[in-house]
Amino acid sequence: MAAVHGDVHGHEHDDHHPSGIMRWITTTNHKDIGTMYLWFSFAMFLVGGTLAMGIRAELYQPGIQILEPELFNQFTTLHGLIMVFGAIMPAFVGFANWQVPLMIGAPDMAFARMNNWSFWLLPVAATLLVSSFFVPGGAAAGGWTFYPPLSTQGGLGVDLMIFSVHILGASSIMGSINIITTILNMRAPGMTLMKMPLFVWTWLITAYLLVLVMPVLAGVVTMLLTDRHFGTSFFNAAGGGDPVMFQHIFWFFGHPEVYIMILPSFGIVSEVIPTFSRKPLFGYSSMVYATASIAILSCVVWAHHMFTAGMPTVGQLFFMYATMLIAVPTGVKVFNWTATMWRGSMSFETPMLFAIGFIFLFVIGGFSGVICAIVPIDIQVQDTYYVIAHFHYVLVSGSLFALFAGAYYWIPKWTGRMYNETLGKWHFWLSMFFFNLTFFVQHFLGLAGMPRRIPDYNLQFADFNMISSIGAFGFGSTQLLFLYIMINCIRSGEKAPQKPWDGATTLEWTHLPTPAPYHSFEKPPVVN
Amino acid sequence: MHNQDTQKKGSASIWQIAKAVMFAFMGIRKKSDLENDAATLTPAQVIIGGIIGAVLFVLGVMFVVRLVVS
Ligand code: HEM
Ligand SMILES: [Cu+2]
């Protein structure tokens, strides 16, 4: 470990780093790269959000008003792909880049140049995805899960999507190898594994999951590609293949993927809740163990996405039981956060509000997940708006709210300035209100039988859809407030003290000035 | 990492590994037990134990399923 630190010392960096745009293109600094990841993911969030506004505008009333069905399907497909691979995942990697070295007392990420490469692949992939709207035939339109035969039939847009997924996967794999190596090899003396902040733990486990399942995704899109262009029939029944096999491979990636998007947010919430409750995290060790077991179990529940695809009863029962059991360690976590707040001296700054909002709404999403896992119910609600409601409760009010909590929590450390607390609270309450307005009613729509991924619907669904669309426009506009708050903070926020949160205990607050200097922990701190 | 417990690394019994894995699956572990685990288990033991645990979990659920459908 000492050798690693010594090595980094060897380079004389401060005097000759380029400025202007070249600084960003050539940078190997984890803070610069983290910043780029965060801005990139926010930009993608706005692109994906714009598509969502298009979807909700079309669904505001029954009938076709704005988007032709074909374009509508392209919107839903790219909305999903961009939000999952362009917004949520890179945002968490951005947090990892900024925070992992700061929280374990390392000077930088282990593979600094590879880090630069992992980031710069992203804009390339995003360009491919977004430009696919403008090729003949338009973007991929078979849903973010790109099931064949739709995905073997589409035009050039599907090829661009496949290529883009390859690149994004490569970026994720490199990013996770970097994170694993950093955490395992570059911790400050005394920072044992069991002293690591929970955010670092959750990222360590997430990174292993990524290394495990991203190659599976790469494999399955490659099989699609060869089915499309090179005469294979992996998923084509006429050639002896099996379209259902695609679903198995995809969801073997897909279900761990949803945990990849939620575990780091568990980590962020596990930092924020103790800080603002001024108490250590209740059951730190349980949290570590629960995270590990969620990661393992998440690999044996995938077919709960396929109950209606045709499966023997024993299969249905197996995946139903396994899925319901995985809710146990998840429930333990919710219990631990609640117990952390119990009798704490709590205060409710914006990060804490988002963390509490996270717990509250994530529980709703978790419960609707368990409901979807019950086979006879899922046969009814599969492919309806009920599923849409479920996963937006876990992804928007789960992952995204945790990202907001983390952004407000660490922005003082990153910029040296405070955000506007009043506006932050407005951001939270407006998000909370509009989020529920948008998605709660979708439970009712789903139970009443409204299918997902359709541009038009029967008259009986009209009222709830209008409510949902109004909520969506509100939620979308509210996020512009977040952009304003962040820019305002960076430009002209009040100067932040070294430790604006008096309950914070992790290294970045206790051992570093605010803002964190460009090169931090060149000498490793001593942790006891 | 640098503490004196290092020499005890790998000294855990099979039962201790099994217990750590079982508690992990439930997501519950006492602080003192955890520290004990951290001191006596090696990562390889935990990973292999975890994989065996996952296999047993799958077999267990399959067994219950058989019971239910028979
Ligand atoms: C308590 C834990 C959870 C359970 C029991 C659960 C269960 C399920 C089930 C059974 C489905 C399939 C529904 C259907 O297609 O008919 C589903 C869909 C989905 N879940 Fe969950 N889930 C849980 C947590 C999560 C989390 C944490 C995330 C993401 C952060 C997530 C994201 C999704 C997504 C994106 C889909 C829809 C995929 C698609 O068809 O497009 N779920 N969930
Ligand atoms: Cu799933």
Side-chain angles (χ1 to χ4, degrees), chain A residues 190-213:
Chain A
M191 174 62 75
T192 59
L193 282 178
M194 282 300 164
K195 277 193 197 140
M196 290 194 318
L198 216 80
F199 177 69
V200 181
W201 257 116
T202 53
W203 242 118
L204 178 64
I205 293 167
T206 304
Y208 272 108
L209 266 183
L210 273 168
V211 173
L212 183 73
V213 302

mmCIF file with all atom_site columns, all heavy atoms in Angstrom, chain A residues 190-213:
data_model
loop_
_atom_site.group_PDB
_atom_site.id
_atom_site.type_symbol
_atom_site.label_atom_id
_atom_site.label_alt_id
_atom_site.label_comp_id
_atom_site.label_asym_id
_atom_site.label_entity_id
_atom_site.label_seq_id
_atom_site.pdbx_PDB_ins_code
_atom_site.Cartn_x
_atom_site.Cartn_y
_atom_site.Cartn_z
_atom_site.occupancy
_atom_site.B_iso_or_equiv
_atom_site.pdbx_formal_charge
_atom_site.auth_seq_id
_atom_site.auth_comp_id
_atom_site.auth_asym_id
_atom_site.auth_atom_id
_atom_site.pdbx_PDB_model_num
ATOM 1   N N   . GLY A 1 190 ? -4.986  1.484   8.514   1.00 0.00 ? 190 GLY A N   1
ATOM 2   C CA  . GLY A 1 190 ? -5.981  1.507   9.590   1.00 0.00 ? 190 GLY A CA  1
ATOM 3   C C   . GLY A 1 190 ? -7.404  1.457   9.079   1.00 0.00 ? 190 GLY A C   1
ATOM 4   O O   . GLY A 1 190 ? -8.326  1.161   9.836   1.00 0.00 ? 190 GLY A O   1
ATOM 5   N N   . MET A 1 191 ? -7.612  1.772   7.776   1.00 0.00 ? 191 MET A N   1
ATOM 6   C CA  . MET A 1 191 ? -8.971  1.701   7.219   1.00 0.00 ? 191 MET A CA  1
ATOM 7   C C   . MET A 1 191 ? -9.227  0.240   6.838   1.00 0.00 ? 191 MET A C   1
ATOM 8   O O   . MET A 1 191 ? -9.070  -0.159  5.691   1.00 0.00 ? 191 MET A O   1
ATOM 9   C CB  . MET A 1 191 ? -9.079  2.640   6.016   1.00 0.00 ? 191 MET A CB  1
ATOM 10  C CG  . MET A 1 191 ? -10.376 2.593   5.243   1.00 0.00 ? 191 MET A CG  1
ATOM 11  S SD  . MET A 1 191 ? -11.832 3.059   6.158   1.00 0.00 ? 191 MET A SD  1
ATOM 12  C CE  . MET A 1 191 ? -11.680 4.845   6.249   1.00 0.00 ? 191 MET A CE  1
ATOM 13  N N   . THR A 1 192 ? -9.596  -0.564  7.831   1.00 0.00 ? 192 THR A N   1
ATOM 14  C CA  . THR A 1 192 ? -9.857  -1.969  7.530   1.00 0.00 ? 192 THR A CA  1
ATOM 15  C C   . THR A 1 192 ? -11.171 -2.061  6.772   1.00 0.00 ? 192 THR A C   1
ATOM 16  O O   . THR A 1 192 ? -11.971 -1.122  6.774   1.00 0.00 ? 192 THR A O   1
ATOM 17  C CB  . THR A 1 192 ? -9.969  -2.797  8.806   1.00 0.00 ? 192 THR A CB  1
ATOM 18  O OG1 . THR A 1 192 ? -11.025 -2.243  9.578   1.00 0.00 ? 192 THR A OG1 1
ATOM 19  C CG2 . THR A 1 192 ? -8.689  -2.760  9.600   1.00 0.00 ? 192 THR A CG2 1
ATOM 20  N N   . LEU A 1 193 ? -11.402 -3.215  6.157   1.00 0.00 ? 193 LEU A N   1
ATOM 21  C CA  . LEU A 1 193 ? -12.649 -3.375  5.401   1.00 0.00 ? 193 LEU A CA  1
ATOM 22  C C   . LEU A 1 193 ? -13.848 -3.042  6.272   1.00 0.00 ? 193 LEU A C   1
ATOM 23  O O   . LEU A 1 193 ? -14.781 -2.369  5.847   1.00 0.00 ? 193 LEU A O   1
ATOM 24  C CB  . LEU A 1 193 ? -12.762 -4.819  4.892   1.00 0.00 ? 193 LEU A CB  1
ATOM 25  C CG  . LEU A 1 193 ? -11.927 -5.180  3.668   1.00 0.00 ? 193 LEU A CG  1
ATOM 26  C CD1 . LEU A 1 193 ? -12.119 -6.643  3.329   1.00 0.00 ? 193 LEU A CD1 1
ATOM 27  C CD2 . LEU A 1 193 ? -12.316 -4.316  2.485   1.00 0.00 ? 193 LEU A CD2 1
ATOM 28  N N   . MET A 1 194 ? -13.810 -3.511  7.524   1.00 0.00 ? 194 MET A N   1
ATOM 29  C CA  . MET A 1 194 ? -14.980 -3.341  8.375   1.00 0.00 ? 194 MET A CA  1
ATOM 30  C C   . MET A 1 194 ? -15.070 -1.949  8.987   1.00 0.00 ? 194 MET A C   1
ATOM 31  O O   . MET A 1 194 ? -15.974 -1.678  9.767   1.00 0.00 ? 194 MET A O   1
ATOM 32  C CB  . MET A 1 194 ? -14.988 -4.412  9.467   1.00 0.00 ? 194 MET A CB  1
ATOM 33  C CG  . MET A 1 194 ? -15.458 -5.752  8.938   1.00 0.00 ? 194 MET A CG  1
ATOM 34  S SD  . MET A 1 194 ? -17.129 -5.606  8.289   1.00 0.00 ? 194 MET A SD  1
ATOM 35  C CE  . MET A 1 194 ? -17.270 -7.091  7.336   1.00 0.00 ? 194 MET A CE  1
ATOM 36  N N   . LYS A 1 195 ? -14.144 -1.068  8.618   1.00 0.00 ? 195 LYS A N   1
ATOM 37  C CA  . LYS A 1 195 ? -14.297 0.326   9.040   1.00 0.00 ? 195 LYS A CA  1
ATOM 38  C C   . LYS A 1 195 ? -14.745 1.190   7.872   1.00 0.00 ? 195 LYS A C   1
ATOM 39  O O   . LYS A 1 195 ? -14.981 2.387   8.041   1.00 0.00 ? 195 LYS A O   1
ATOM 40  C CB  . LYS A 1 195 ? -12.968 0.853   9.580   1.00 0.00 ? 195 LYS A CB  1
ATOM 41  C CG  . LYS A 1 195 ? -12.726 0.482   11.019  1.00 0.00 ? 195 LYS A CG  1
ATOM 42  C CD  . LYS A 1 195 ? -11.572 1.284   11.578  1.00 0.00 ? 195 LYS A CD  1
ATOM 43  C CE  . LYS A 1 195 ? -11.067 0.635   12.837  1.00 0.00 ? 195 LYS A CE  1
ATOM 44  N NZ  . LYS A 1 195 ? -9.603  0.674   12.912  1.00 0.00 ? 195 LYS A NZ  1
ATOM 45  N N   . MET A 1 196 ? -14.802 0.593   6.699   1.00 0.00 ? 196 MET A N   1
ATOM 46  C CA  . MET A 1 196 ? -15.145 1.400   5.532   1.00 0.00 ? 196 MET A CA  1
ATOM 47  C C   . MET A 1 196 ? -16.553 1.956   5.655   1.00 0.00 ? 196 MET A C   1
ATOM 48  O O   . MET A 1 196 ? -17.462 1.263   6.107   1.00 0.00 ? 196 MET A O   1
ATOM 49  C CB  . MET A 1 196 ? -15.077 0.547   4.266   1.00 0.00 ? 196 MET A CB  1
ATOM 50  C CG  . MET A 1 196 ? -13.694 0.157   3.864   1.00 0.00 ? 196 MET A CG  1
ATOM 51  S SD  . MET A 1 196 ? -13.613 -0.489  2.202   1.00 0.00 ? 196 MET A SD  1
ATOM 52  C CE  . MET A 1 196 ? -15.015 -1.537  2.047   1.00 0.00 ? 196 MET A CE  1
ATOM 53  N N   . PRO A 1 197 ? -16.737 3.207   5.220   1.00 0.00 ? 197 PRO A N   1
ATOM 54  C CA  . PRO A 1 197 ? -18.092 3.750   5.194   1.00 0.00 ? 197 PRO A CA  1
ATOM 55  C C   . PRO A 1 197 ? -18.996 2.874   4.332   1.00 0.00 ? 197 PRO A C   1
ATOM 56  O O   . PRO A 1 197 ? -18.529 2.246   3.375   1.00 0.00 ? 197 PRO A O   1
ATOM 57  C CB  . PRO A 1 197 ? -17.921 5.125   4.548   1.00 0.00 ? 197 PRO A CB  1
ATOM 58  C CG  . PRO A 1 197 ? -16.492 5.456   4.711   1.00 0.00 ? 197 PRO A CG  1
ATOM 59  C CD  . PRO A 1 197 ? -15.735 4.178   4.763   1.00 0.00 ? 197 PRO A CD  1
ATOM 60  N N   . LEU A 1 198 ? -20.262 2.851   4.655   1.00 0.00 ? 198 LEU A N   1
ATOM 61  C CA  . LEU A 1 198 ? -21.156 1.943   3.952   1.00 0.00 ? 198 LEU A CA  1
ATOM 62  C C   . LEU A 1 198 ? -21.260 2.244   2.463   1.00 0.00 ? 198 LEU A C   1
ATOM 63  O O   . LEU A 1 198 ? -21.454 1.341   1.653   1.00 0.00 ? 198 LEU A O   1
ATOM 64  C CB  . LEU A 1 198 ? -22.547 1.949   4.595   1.00 0.00 ? 198 LEU A CB  1
ATOM 65  C CG  . LEU A 1 198 ? -23.081 0.530   4.514   1.00 0.00 ? 198 LEU A CG  1
ATOM 66  C CD1 . LEU A 1 198 ? -22.510 -0.320  5.598   1.00 0.00 ? 198 LEU A CD1 1
ATOM 67  C CD2 . LEU A 1 198 ? -24.559 0.505   4.533   1.00 0.00 ? 198 LEU A CD2 1
ATOM 68  N N   . PHE A 1 199 ? -21.103 3.543   2.118   1.00 0.00 ? 199 PHE A N   1
ATOM 69  C CA  . PHE A 1 199 ? -21.155 3.871   0.691   1.00 0.00 ? 199 PHE A CA  1
ATOM 70  C C   . PHE A 1 199 ? -20.067 3.117   -0.063  1.00 0.00 ? 199 PHE A C   1
ATOM 71  O O   . PHE A 1 199 ? -20.300 2.597   -1.159  1.00 0.00 ? 199 PHE A O   1
ATOM 72  C CB  . PHE A 1 199 ? -20.984 5.380   0.475   1.00 0.00 ? 199 PHE A CB  1
ATOM 73  C CG  . PHE A 1 199 ? -20.950 5.767   -0.978  1.00 0.00 ? 199 PHE A CG  1
ATOM 74  C CD1 . PHE A 1 199 ? -22.090 5.668   -1.759  1.00 0.00 ? 199 PHE A CD1 1
ATOM 75  C CD2 . PHE A 1 199 ? -19.779 6.199   -1.581  1.00 0.00 ? 199 PHE A CD2 1
ATOM 76  C CE1 . PHE A 1 199 ? -22.065 5.996   -3.111  1.00 0.00 ? 199 PHE A CE1 1
ATOM 77  C CE2 . PHE A 1 199 ? -19.744 6.529   -2.925  1.00 0.00 ? 199 PHE A CE2 1
ATOM 78  C CZ  . PHE A 1 199 ? -20.887 6.427   -3.688  1.00 0.00 ? 199 PHE A CZ  1
ATOM 79  N N   . VAL A 1 200 ? -18.888 3.010   0.537   1.00 0.00 ? 200 VAL A N   1
ATOM 80  C CA  . VAL A 1 200 ? -17.783 2.298   -0.115  1.00 0.00 ? 200 VAL A CA  1
ATOM 81  C C   . VAL A 1 200 ? -18.103 0.806   -0.195  1.00 0.00 ? 200 VAL A C   1
ATOM 82  O O   . VAL A 1 200 ? -17.894 0.161   -1.226  1.00 0.00 ? 200 VAL A O   1
ATOM 83  C CB  . VAL A 1 200 ? -16.476 2.550   0.658   1.00 0.00 ? 200 VAL A CB  1
ATOM 84  C CG1 . VAL A 1 200 ? -15.324 1.831   -0.018  1.00 0.00 ? 200 VAL A CG1 1
ATOM 85  C CG2 . VAL A 1 200 ? -16.197 4.034   0.759   1.00 0.00 ? 200 VAL A CG2 1
ATOM 86  N N   . TRP A 1 201 ? -18.653 0.275   0.873   1.00 0.00 ? 201 TRP A N   1
ATOM 87  C CA  . TRP A 1 201 ? -19.043 -1.135  0.865   1.00 0.00 ? 201 TRP A CA  1
ATOM 88  C C   . TRP A 1 201 ? -20.051 -1.434  -0.234  1.00 0.00 ? 201 TRP A C   1
ATOM 89  O O   . TRP A 1 201 ? -19.908 -2.400  -0.985  1.00 0.00 ? 201 TRP A O   1
ATOM 90  C CB  . TRP A 1 201 ? -19.671 -1.525  2.210   1.00 0.00 ? 201 TRP A CB  1
ATOM 91  C CG  . TRP A 1 201 ? -18.744 -2.300  3.073   1.00 0.00 ? 201 TRP A CG  1
ATOM 92  C CD1 . TRP A 1 201 ? -18.255 -1.911  4.287   1.00 0.00 ? 201 TRP A CD1 1
ATOM 93  C CD2 . TRP A 1 201 ? -18.201 -3.607  2.819   1.00 0.00 ? 201 TRP A CD2 1
ATOM 94  N NE1 . TRP A 1 201 ? -17.432 -2.878  4.791   1.00 0.00 ? 201 TRP A NE1 1
ATOM 95  C CE2 . TRP A 1 201 ? -17.380 -3.933  3.919   1.00 0.00 ? 201 TRP A CE2 1
ATOM 96  C CE3 . TRP A 1 201 ? -18.308 -4.526  1.774   1.00 0.00 ? 201 TRP A CE3 1
ATOM 97  C CZ2 . TRP A 1 201 ? -16.686 -5.141  4.015   1.00 0.00 ? 201 TRP A CZ2 1
ATOM 98  C CZ3 . TRP A 1 201 ? -17.615 -5.720  1.856   1.00 0.00 ? 201 TRP A CZ3 1
ATOM 99  C CH2 . TRP A 1 201 ? -16.818 -6.020  2.968   1.00 0.00 ? 201 TRP A CH2 1
ATOM 100 N N   . THR A 1 202 ? -21.092 -0.624  -0.298  1.00 0.00 ? 202 THR A N   1
ATOM 101 C CA  . THR A 1 202 ? -22.117 -0.929  -1.298  1.00 0.00 ? 202 THR A CA  1
ATOM 102 C C   . THR A 1 202 ? -21.523 -0.833  -2.701  1.00 0.00 ? 202 THR A C   1
ATOM 103 O O   . THR A 1 202 ? -21.862 -1.635  -3.566  1.00 0.00 ? 202 THR A O   1
ATOM 104 C CB  . THR A 1 202 ? -23.328 0.015   -1.190  1.00 0.00 ? 202 THR A CB  1
ATOM 105 O OG1 . THR A 1 202 ? -22.865 1.354   -1.216  1.00 0.00 ? 202 THR A OG1 1
ATOM 106 C CG2 . THR A 1 202 ? -24.104 -0.243  0.085   1.00 0.00 ? 202 THR A CG2 1
ATOM 107 N N   . TRP A 1 203 ? -20.607 0.119   -2.910  1.00 0.00 ? 203 TRP A N   1
ATOM 108 C CA  . TRP A 1 203 ? -20.020 0.216   -4.240  1.00 0.00 ? 203 TRP A CA  1
ATOM 109 C C   . TRP A 1 203 ? -19.108 -0.968  -4.532  1.00 0.00 ? 203 TRP A C   1
ATOM 110 O O   . TRP A 1 203 ? -19.040 -1.460  -5.655  1.00 0.00 ? 203 TRP A O   1
ATOM 111 C CB  . TRP A 1 203 ? -19.265 1.537   -4.460  1.00 0.00 ? 203 TRP A CB  1
ATOM 112 C CG  . TRP A 1 203 ? -19.903 2.318   -5.572  1.00 0.00 ? 203 TRP A CG  1
ATOM 113 C CD1 . TRP A 1 203 ? -20.476 3.541   -5.464  1.00 0.00 ? 203 TRP A CD1 1
ATOM 114 C CD2 . TRP A 1 203 ? -20.057 1.919   -6.956  1.00 0.00 ? 203 TRP A CD2 1
ATOM 115 N NE1 . TRP A 1 203 ? -20.991 3.932   -6.680  1.00 0.00 ? 203 TRP A NE1 1
ATOM 116 C CE2 . TRP A 1 203 ? -20.743 2.958   -7.611  1.00 0.00 ? 203 TRP A CE2 1
ATOM 117 C CE3 . TRP A 1 203 ? -19.706 0.802   -7.688  1.00 0.00 ? 203 TRP A CE3 1
ATOM 118 C CZ2 . TRP A 1 203 ? -21.075 2.906   -8.967  1.00 0.00 ? 203 TRP A CZ2 1
ATOM 119 C CZ3 . TRP A 1 203 ? -20.049 0.742   -9.047  1.00 0.00 ? 203 TRP A CZ3 1
ATOM 120 C CH2 . TRP A 1 203 ? -20.718 1.793   -9.672  1.00 0.00 ? 203 TRP A CH2 1
ATOM 121 N N   . LEU A 1 204 ? -18.397 -1.455  -3.523  1.00 0.00 ? 204 LEU A N   1
ATOM 122 C CA  . LEU A 1 204 ? -17.536 -2.625  -3.738  1.00 0.00 ? 204 LEU A CA  1
ATOM 123 C C   . LEU A 1 204 ? -18.381 -3.799  -4.228  1.00 0.00 ? 204 LEU A C   1
ATOM 124 O O   . LEU A 1 204 ? -18.063 -4.465  -5.224  1.00 0.00 ? 204 LEU A O   1
ATOM 125 C CB  . LEU A 1 204 ? -16.818 -2.984  -2.435  1.00 0.00 ? 204 LEU A CB  1
ATOM 126 C CG  . LEU A 1 204 ? -15.912 -4.212  -2.495  1.00 0.00 ? 204 LEU A CG  1
ATOM 127 C CD1 . LEU A 1 204 ? -14.748 -3.975  -3.455  1.00 0.00 ? 204 LEU A CD1 1
ATOM 128 C CD2 . LEU A 1 204 ? -15.355 -4.561  -1.117  1.00 0.00 ? 204 LEU A CD2 1
ATOM 129 N N   . ILE A 1 205 ? -19.489 -4.018  -3.543  1.00 0.00 ? 205 ILE A N   1
ATOM 130 C CA  . ILE A 1 205 ? -20.333 -5.158  -3.912  1.00 0.00 ? 205 ILE A CA  1
ATOM 131 C C   . ILE A 1 205 ? -20.998 -4.925  -5.264  1.00 0.00 ? 205 ILE A C   1
ATOM 132 O O   . ILE A 1 205 ? -21.067 -5.821  -6.111  1.00 0.00 ? 205 ILE A O   1
ATOM 133 C CB  . ILE A 1 205 ? -21.347 -5.412  -2.788  1.00 0.00 ? 205 ILE A CB  1
ATOM 134 C CG1 . ILE A 1 205 ? -20.582 -5.902  -1.549  1.00 0.00 ? 205 ILE A CG1 1
ATOM 135 C CG2 . ILE A 1 205 ? -22.396 -6.414  -3.210  1.00 0.00 ? 205 ILE A CG2 1
ATOM 136 C CD1 . ILE A 1 205 ? -21.389 -5.913  -0.280  1.00 0.00 ? 205 ILE A CD1 1
ATOM 137 N N   . THR A 1 206 ? -21.469 -3.702  -5.501  1.00 0.00 ? 206 THR A N   1
ATOM 138 C CA  . THR A 1 206 ? -22.056 -3.372  -6.791  1.00 0.00 ? 206 THR A CA  1
ATOM 139 C C   . THR A 1 206 ? -21.066 -3.603  -7.923  1.00 0.00 ? 206 THR A C   1
ATOM 140 O O   . THR A 1 206 ? -21.419 -4.121  -8.985  1.00 0.00 ? 206 THR A O   1
ATOM 141 C CB  . THR A 1 206 ? -22.490 -1.899  -6.806  1.00 0.00 ? 206 THR A CB  1
ATOM 142 O OG1 . THR A 1 206 ? -23.376 -1.679  -5.714  1.00 0.00 ? 206 THR A OG1 1
ATOM 143 C CG2 . THR A 1 206 ? -23.181 -1.539  -8.089  1.00 0.00 ? 206 THR A CG2 1
ATOM 144 N N   . ALA A 1 207 ? -19.813 -3.226  -7.687  1.00 0.00 ? 207 ALA A N   1
ATOM 145 C CA  . ALA A 1 207 ? -18.812 -3.359  -8.743  1.00 0.00 ? 207 ALA A CA  1
ATOM 146 C C   . ALA A 1 207 ? -18.611 -4.831  -9.096  1.00 0.00 ? 207 ALA A C   1
ATOM 147 O O   . ALA A 1 207 ? -18.478 -5.182  -10.272 1.00 0.00 ? 207 ALA A O   1
ATOM 148 C CB  . ALA A 1 207 ? -17.497 -2.717  -8.313  1.00 0.00 ? 207 ALA A CB  1
ATOM 149 N N   . TYR A 1 208 ? -18.625 -5.682  -8.084  1.00 0.00 ? 208 TYR A N   1
ATOM 150 C CA  . TYR A 1 208 ? -18.532 -7.120  -8.384  1.00 0.00 ? 208 TYR A CA  1
ATOM 151 C C   . TYR A 1 208 ? -19.735 -7.576  -9.208  1.00 0.00 ? 208 TYR A C   1
ATOM 152 O O   . TYR A 1 208 ? -19.601 -8.349  -10.161 1.00 0.00 ? 208 TYR A O   1
ATOM 153 C CB  . TYR A 1 208 ? -18.435 -7.934  -7.093  1.00 0.00 ? 208 TYR A CB  1
ATOM 154 C CG  . TYR A 1 208 ? -17.014 -8.100  -6.612  1.00 0.00 ? 208 TYR A CG  1
ATOM 155 C CD1 . TYR A 1 208 ? -16.553 -7.422  -5.499  1.00 0.00 ? 208 TYR A CD1 1
ATOM 156 C CD2 . TYR A 1 208 ? -16.132 -8.941  -7.287  1.00 0.00 ? 208 TYR A CD2 1
ATOM 157 C CE1 . TYR A 1 208 ? -15.246 -7.561  -5.062  1.00 0.00 ? 208 TYR A CE1 1
ATOM 158 C CE2 . TYR A 1 208 ? -14.830 -9.086  -6.865  1.00 0.00 ? 208 TYR A CE2 1
ATOM 159 C CZ  . TYR A 1 208 ? -14.386 -8.405  -5.755  1.00 0.00 ? 208 TYR A CZ  1
ATOM 160 O OH  . TYR A 1 208 ? -13.104 -8.544  -5.338  1.00 0.00 ? 208 TYR A OH  1
ATOM 161 N N   . LEU A 1 209 ? -20.919 -7.106  -8.826  1.00 0.00 ? 209 LEU A N   1
ATOM 162 C CA  . LEU A 1 209 ? -22.109 -7.481  -9.602  1.00 0.00 ? 209 LEU A CA  1
ATOM 163 C C   . LEU A 1 209 ? -21.970 -7.036  -11.052 1.00 0.00 ? 209 LEU A C   1
ATOM 164 O O   . LEU A 1 209 ? -22.321 -7.771  -11.983 1.00 0.00 ? 209 LEU A O   1
ATOM 165 C CB  . LEU A 1 209 ? -23.353 -6.818  -9.004  1.00 0.00 ? 209 LEU A CB  1
ATOM 166 C CG  . LEU A 1 209 ? -24.190 -7.593  -7.999  1.00 0.00 ? 209 LEU A CG  1
ATOM 167 C CD1 . LEU A 1 209 ? -25.397 -6.769  -7.608  1.00 0.00 ? 209 LEU A CD1 1
ATOM 168 C CD2 . LEU A 1 209 ? -24.646 -8.917  -8.591  1.00 0.00 ? 209 LEU A CD2 1
ATOM 169 N N   . LEU A 1 210 ? -21.451 -5.813  -11.241 1.00 0.00 ? 210 LEU A N   1
ATOM 170 C CA  . LEU A 1 210 ? -21.290 -5.295  -12.601 1.00 0.00 ? 210 LEU A CA  1
ATOM 171 C C   . LEU A 1 210 ? -20.340 -6.170  -13.401 1.00 0.00 ? 210 LEU A C   1
ATOM 172 O O   . LEU A 1 210 ? -20.618 -6.518  -14.551 1.00 0.00 ? 210 LEU A O   1
ATOM 173 C CB  . LEU A 1 210 ? -20.738 -3.872  -12.550 1.00 0.00 ? 210 LEU A CB  1
ATOM 174 C CG  . LEU A 1 210 ? -21.763 -2.754  -12.431 1.00 0.00 ? 210 LEU A CG  1
ATOM 175 C CD1 . LEU A 1 210 ? -21.080 -1.451  -12.087 1.00 0.00 ? 210 LEU A CD1 1
ATOM 176 C CD2 . LEU A 1 210 ? -22.519 -2.611  -13.742 1.00 0.00 ? 210 LEU A CD2 1
ATOM 177 N N   . VAL A 1 211 ? -19.220 -6.539  -12.790 1.00 0.00 ? 211 VAL A N   1
ATOM 178 C CA  . VAL A 1 211 ? -18.262 -7.372  -13.505 1.00 0.00 ? 211 VAL A CA  1
ATOM 179 C C   . VAL A 1 211 ? -18.892 -8.714  -13.849 1.00 0.00 ? 211 VAL A C   1
ATOM 180 O O   . VAL A 1 211 ? -18.621 -9.308  -14.877 1.00 0.00 ? 211 VAL A O   1
ATOM 181 C CB  . VAL A 1 211 ? -16.989 -7.562  -12.656 1.00 0.00 ? 211 VAL A CB  1
ATOM 182 C CG1 . VAL A 1 211 ? -16.062 -8.568  -13.299 1.00 0.00 ? 211 VAL A CG1 1
ATOM 183 C CG2 . VAL A 1 211 ? -16.288 -6.246  -12.480 1.00 0.00 ? 211 VAL A CG2 1
ATOM 184 N N   . LEU A 1 212 ? -19.787 -9.165  -12.988 1.00 0.00 ? 212 LEU A N   1
ATOM 185 C CA  . LEU A 1 212 ? -20.443 -10.447 -13.234 1.00 0.00 ? 212 LEU A CA  1
ATOM 186 C C   . LEU A 1 212 ? -21.457 -10.364 -14.374 1.00 0.00 ? 212 LEU A C   1
ATOM 187 O O   . LEU A 1 212 ? -21.504 -11.251 -15.224 1.00 0.00 ? 212 LEU A O   1
ATOM 188 C CB  . LEU A 1 212 ? -21.143 -10.906 -11.946 1.00 0.00 ? 212 LEU A CB  1
ATOM 189 C CG  . LEU A 1 212 ? -21.827 -12.267 -11.976 1.00 0.00 ? 212 LEU A CG  1
ATOM 190 C CD1 . LEU A 1 212 ? -20.778 -13.357 -11.955 1.00 0.00 ? 212 LEU A CD1 1
ATOM 191 C CD2 . LEU A 1 212 ? -22.752 -12.414 -10.776 1.00 0.00 ? 212 LEU A CD2 1
ATOM 192 N N   . VAL A 1 213 ? -22.275 -9.321  -14.419 1.00 0.00 ? 213 VAL A N   1
ATOM 193 C CA  . VAL A 1 213 ? -23.406 -9.368  -15.356 1.00 0.00 ? 213 VAL A CA  1
ATOM 194 C C   . VAL A 1 213 ? -23.249 -8.519  -16.612 1.00 0.00 ? 213 VAL A C   1
ATOM 195 O O   . VAL A 1 213 ? -23.932 -8.779  -17.601 1.00 0.00 ? 213 VAL A O   1
ATOM 196 C CB  . VAL A 1 213 ? -24.752 -9.027  -14.672 1.00 0.00 ? 213 VAL A CB  1
ATOM 197 C CG1 . VAL A 1 213 ? -25.017 -9.985  -13.538 1.00 0.00 ? 213 VAL A CG1 1
ATOM 198 C CG2 . VAL A 1 213 ? -24.817 -7.597  -14.232 1.00 0.00 ? 213 VAL A CG2 1
#
